[in-house]
Amino acid sequence: MEPRHIDEIKRMITRGRVLTEESDRYSYSFDGSFGTYLPEAVVQAKDVQEIAELVKYANRELIPICPRGQSTSLSGGPLPVKGGIVLDLSVMNDILEIDEEDLVAVVSPGVLTAAIHKAAEGKGLMYPPDPSSSHVSTIGGNLAENSGGPRGLKYGVTKDYVIGLEVITPQGEIIQTGGRTVKNVTGYDLTKLIVGSEGTLGIITKAILRLIPKPPASETVMAIFDSLVDAGRAISKILSSGILPSKMELMDQASIVAVENYEPSGLPRDAEAMILIELDGHPAAVRDEAKQISDVCKEVGAREVRVPTTQAEKEEVWKARKLVSPAIVRIKPTKISEDATVPRSKIPEMCRRLQEIKQKYNVHLVVFGHAGDGNLHPNIIADKSDKEEMKRVEQAVTEIFEAAIQLGGTLSGEHGIGTMKAPFMEMELGTAGLDMMKRIKQAWDPNNIMNPGKIFPEPGQKLVLSE
Amino acid sequence: MEPRHIDEIKRMITRGRVLTEESDRYSYSFDGSFGTYLPEAVVQAKDVQEIAELVKYANRELIPICPRGQSTSLSGGPLPVKGGIVLDLSVMNDILEIDEEDLVAVVSPGVLTAAIHKAAEGKGLMYPPDPSSSHVSTIGGNLAENSGGPRGLKYGVTKDYVIGLEVITPQGEIIQTGGRTVKNVTGYDLTKLIVGSEGTLGIITKAILRLIPKPPASETVMAIFDSLVDAGRAISKILSSGILPSKMELMDQASIVAVENYEPSGLPRDAEAMILIELDGHPAAVRDEAKQISDVCKEVGAREVRVPTTQAEKEEVWKARKLVSPAIVRIKPTKISEDATVPRSKIPEMCRRLQEIKQKYNVHLVVFGHAGDGNLHPNIIADKSDKEEMKRVEQAVTEIFEAAIQLGGTLSGEHGIGTMKAPFMEMELGTAGLDMMKRIKQAWDPNNIMNPGKIFPEPGQKLVLSE
């Protein structure tokens, strides 16, 4: 980027800041995944008209723009892999409006997802998507990546709650998609095309989110198993029993031991698996359902089933699940967090394949996650300074992707493709399927300025974790 | 289409039929909307490879292809407005598979939607979308138009339940989109782009639908109001009370009188409005909720509230709603069924505007429909042989669209754009928004062979109902 570009951009952005010092730019060079890429400039922008002008300029001068929220992405979403501008939208956070009559929230992209949860709950409503990072991630990032989370089982994902957007196109035009109605079939669904497009098709500057009444009660069930296979069978049996839990989380032995080492609370280190279930709805309904689920778990061979009665006890149970991520990075510093997802019926087979991969490549593999919707999180714990180990990790990750696709699943359930999974896109989509996606990118952004280097593999691109 | 094309197509289609007789072609010249367009040939196809070959040929020879299910479309979806081939997919109905473990249905496009409901319910599951035409419409048509129905309020629309598709692209390539998992963020969401694209982006040859456990119980509440405004207030108040009914239907006085004339059952002819509500879920929950809703309706001034207790009584209540459509066509032969949709909070204002339009143009306007999600069905009853009346209808319909958009709503909640609403697209989407949709069409179907003449307005195109 030439110096004249910086001057021009500084002139354009009056509400916000343009950062060019190396120390500032460095803070914008990484996310929650791999690799470090220094942007040439960082724009903290608050005004939609000014961003539109910036995009028009970038499109004319062929400067890459990478939109970014809080950079918690686990797939490289906001990394400026081709240089150019990182557009920090976390500062665009002025609107957070809950409309109780229309049952919608209208939000700016920089609003934290947890703030939306809180505002909705304050009015007896609920915004269901709750990625684990919701207390630190922005809704803009959630929209760009189509975030999931544990409630996907019953409530679906971010996309299922977005009914309207304000978007700046790669040509710098401001468009409105969808609106404030749940039903809308006027033309192609640009809303759901843009949600999950990882910043490659435009910049989201406002969103209209559908809310639902907050369920009046919830119950928690915790079941402990001596066998991972039995836990898998319990999950299948519960899901075909006519009950739809709001959460159904699995922790394998490695996760249980890691959490117990990190913060001892009496978890059973010798158990092969634990399932944590949350039910929400009418008080009488969730009481009945908790009883039914306890019975199913016992029938299938659970060693112990607990149904905590007080709020404090319930929170204690869920705390164990939340501690998995911080606990496992104590083992080794580098965490490769995958989200390959399989059809529900294939969960036991996927667990088996993961154990094989773990042994074959001698990697530290921990399995936990959203078992109810097949969205397991196989995490590999390693040390990125150990090049030989990282080579084995690369091979193990590749085989995890292959296993998921062979079982009829997908590369990514909720983290996005970004840079790391791009080489595997064709394996899942086929040449023709990938081609139809590229046509959309090409038609919308012929100059390839919007978050270039993402999603689509470059010729011969391979997974590289050992830098 | 030249005779050589017909010969070539007959050679290609070995599993199915090619119809060229005028009498056969005539049966394929209309749908549930306006206008008659004779196709040059009709292909009844059963084999995905053969259809792919047909599309490749049509793309090379520039022959329009219009996919069609049972032709119940209310917006011109399957009409061959540019001639060419009507592709009858109602004969492709061999697959209807319910997978209880993965909680999905896998279906061929020609399967009737009601057959999916029945198959799912047979296994204790539910496929929520239920357009009023579900007993006669195919799932392929529902997918192409993104059908809605009364359960949209609680359960969303067709799109919310489609997680995977097999699609033939306009170049005749067979692609798979999505899969059998609820979570999938591998690339752009082609599934949700194709659902609702009204046959303009490809041909759906298989679909994977998400199912949910069938709610164990339901309750019905019927509330009668002397004032339409009070009915509107009751709807708002129920929706902000923390209860999400599975259905919430409105019938205005004109609909009540029409049904009572058609098949007398003691409905109150002098009432200005009736609301019919269905709750589903746990038995204790729906009992509680029915009580709460009854109380709200009484508080707001309902003249009478009924909570039927037997199944037969419940069915009697819902029968009244189902009879509206057949009843109103007894008044005059031509029914113009609109589905302009407004944000929930704007329902009372939309009702007021509709009454104004009715008087201003002296048209026979009946209002009923899915009040809970703002998807009213203003229907105008007329006689299409009366040219002067049809001119007034054209003006009234135009003003209904304008009112919906001014109130922050949409041209179409569930019927689709087709031919009739194309002239109004830009009013809702703006030039830039419409342009982004056209880019997708152009990139996917540069030869414009897939259902040409639909969705996108031609220069200067206006609404014409008076042929």
Side-chain angles (χ1 to χ4, degrees), chain B residues 219-230:
Chain B
E219 292 284 348
T220 290
V221 180
M222 176 185 184
I224 298 164
F225 292 85
D226 284 329
S227 140
L228 183 59
V229 175
D230 285 348

Side-chain angles (χ1 to χ4, degrees), chain B residues 348-388:
Chain B
E349 173 64 11
M350 187 66 180
C351 287
R352 204 185 57 70
R353 298 255 194 136
L354 290 171
Q355 297 313 315
E356 269 178 26
I357 293 167
K358 178 178 181 166
Q359 280 160 21
K360 181 170 171 189
Y361 296 105
N362 186 27
V363 290
H364 197 106
L365 180 73
V366 182
V367 180
F368 60 98
H370 319 315
D373 54 22
N375 179 204
L376 296 171
H377 286 303
N379 274 243
I380 300 179
I381 310 304
D383 180 346
K384 70 177 170 185
S385 64
D386 181 342
K387 292 206 186 319
E388 184 277 328

Side-chain angles (χ1 to χ4, degrees), chain A residues 110-129:
Chain A
V111 170
L112 293 188
T113 309
I116 302 172
H117 288 148
K118 201 176 157 202
E121 282 169 23
K123 300 205 169 178
L125 298 172
M126 174 161 94
Y127 170 65

Side-chain angles (χ1 to χ4, degrees), chain A residues 325-351:
Chain A
S325 279
I328 57 179
V329 287
R330 285 288 178 94
I331 303 168
K332 283 187 180 182
T334 309
K335 179 164 82 99
I336 297 97
S337 175
E338 286 312 328
D339 63 326
T341 300
V342 294
R344 291 181 173 105
S345 60
K346 296 295 191 294
I347 293 171
E349 173 63 12
M350 187 67 180
C351 287

Side-chain angles (χ1 to χ4, degrees), chain B residues 105-302:
Chain B
V106 181
V107 295
S108 297
V111 170
L112 293 187
T113 309
I116 301 172
H117 288 148
K118 201 177 156 201
E121 282 170 23
K123 299 204 170 180
L125 298 171
M126 174 161 93
Y127 170 65
D130 66 336
S132 307
S133 58
S134 62
H135 56 295
V136 284
S137 63
T138 63
I139 186 68
N142 288 188
L143 293 165
E145 301 291 329
N146 189 21
S147 301
R151 287 192 196 136
L153 170 59
K154 179 171 181 177
Y155 291 107
V157 295
T158 298
K159 180 168 297 187
D160 298 313
Y161 294 86
V162 192
I163 56 174
L165 293 174
E166 178 183 82
V167 175
I168 298 174
T169 71
Q171 282 74 48
E173 299 288 339
I174 302 168
I175 64 171
Q176 315 291 328
T177 73
R180 291 171 90 97
T181 63
V182 172
K183 287 179 176 169
N184 181 328
V185 294
T186 299
Y188 301 151
D189 196 334
L190 300 187
T191 307
K192 291 189 180 4
L193 176 64
I194 290 161
V195 173
S197 65
E198 305 190 24
T200 64
L201 294 179
I203 298 163
I204 297 169
T205 50
K206 201 191 283 179
I208 303 172
L209 309 172
R210 183 164 72 88
L211 304 175
I212 62 171
K214 184 170 151 48
S218 75
E219 292 284 348
T220 290
V221 180
M222 176 185 184
I224 298 164
F225 292 85
D226 284 329
S227 140
L228 183 59
V229 175
D230 285 348
R233 282 172 51 218
I235 292 167
S236 287
K237 208 157 175 197
I238 292 165
L239 289 172
S240 52
S241 72
I243 298 170
L244 201 56
S246 53
K247 299 180 185 172
M248 188 186 272
E249 299 284 305
L250 175 76
M251 285 170 63
D252 74 350
Q253 190 165 20
S255 346
I256 298 170
V257 171
V259 170
E260 195 57 19
N261 287 344
Y262 182 69
E263 195 176 308
S265 70
L267 296 180
R269 287 168 185 274
D270 60 331
E272 263 195 21
M274 259 171 46
I275 312 178
L276 310 179
I277 295 153
E278 188 181 82
L279 300 149
D280 65 7
H282 186 273
V286 292
R287 263 199 310 275
D288 272 11
E289 290 170 354
K291 173 79 176 61
Q292 283 179 57
I293 284 179
S294 303
D295 292 346
V296 168
C297 289
K298 283 174 198 158
E299 271 167 45
V300 176

Side-chain angles (χ1 to χ4, degrees), chain A residues 100-103 145-146 148-150 152 156-157 159-160 169-171 173 175-176 180-190 192-193 196-198 200-201 212-213 236 239-240 242-244 282 284-285 288 339 341-346 370 373 375 408-417 425 428-429 432-433 436-437 439-441 443-444 446 455-456, chain B residues 100-103 145-146 148-150 152 156-157 159-160 169-171 173 175-176 180-190 192-193 196-198 200-201 212-213 236 239-240 242-244 282 284-285 288 339 341-346 370 373 375 408-417 425 428-429 432-433 436-437 439-441 443-444 446 455-456:
Chain A
E100 292 163 84
E101 272 202 280
D102 285 346
L103 293 177
E145 301 291 329
N146 188 22
V157 295
K159 180 167 296 186
D160 298 314
T169 71
Q171 282 74 47
E173 300 288 341
I175 64 170
Q176 315 291 329
R180 290 171 91 96
T181 62
V182 172
K183 287 180 176 169
N184 181 328
V185 293
T186 299
Y188 301 151
D189 196 334
L190 300 187
K192 290 188 179 5
L193 176 64
S197 65
E198 306 191 22
T200 64
L201 294 179
I212 62 170
S236 287
L239 289 172
S240 53
I243 298 170
L244 202 55
H282 186 274
D288 273 11
D339 63 326
T341 300
V342 294
R344 291 181 173 105
S345 60
K346 296 295 191 294
H370 319 314
D373 54 22
N375 179 203
T410 178
L411 291 174
S412 181
E414 55 184 22
H415 294 171
I417 297 299
M425 288 281 273
E428 179 170 340
L429 302 169
M436 296 319 271
M437 291 187 186
R439 286 176 189 227
I440 296 173
K441 171 67 175 173
W444 276 41
I455 306 191
F456 299 109
Chain B
E100 293 164 84
E101 272 201 280
D102 285 345
L103 293 177
E145 301 291 329
N146 189 21
V157 295
K159 180 168 297 187
D160 298 313
T169 71
Q171 282 74 48
E173 299 288 339
I175 64 171
Q176 315 291 328
R180 291 171 90 97
T181 63
V182 172
K183 287 179 176 169
N184 181 328
V185 294
T186 299
Y188 301 151
D189 196 334
L190 300 187
K192 291 189 180 4
L193 176 64
S197 65
E198 305 190 24
T200 64
L201 294 179
I212 62 171
S236 287
L239 289 172
S240 52
I243 298 170
L244 201 56
H282 186 273
D288 272 11
D339 63 327
T341 301
V342 294
R344 289 179 173 105
S345 61
K346 298 294 191 295
H370 319 315
D373 54 22
N375 179 204
T410 178
L411 290 174
S412 180
E414 55 182 22
H415 293 171
I417 297 300
M425 287 281 274
E428 177 170 341
L429 302 169
M436 297 318 271
M437 291 187 187
R439 285 176 190 227
I440 296 173
K441 171 68 175 175
W444 276 42
I455 306 191
F456 299 109

Side-chain angles (χ1 to χ4, degrees), chain A residues 111-171:
Chain A
V111 170
L112 293 188
T113 309
I116 302 172
H117 288 148
K118 201 176 157 202
E121 282 169 23
K123 300 205 169 178
L125 298 172
M126 174 161 94
Y127 170 65
D130 67 336
S132 306
S133 57
S134 61
H135 55 296
V136 284
S137 63
T138 64
I139 186 68
N142 288 188
L143 293 164
E145 301 291 329
N146 188 22
S147 300
R151 287 192 196 135
L153 170 59
K154 178 169 181 176
Y155 291 107
V157 295
T158 299
K159 180 167 296 186
D160 298 314
Y161 295 87
V162 192
I163 57 174
L165 293 175
E166 179 182 82
V167 175
I168 298 174
T169 71
Q171 282 74 47

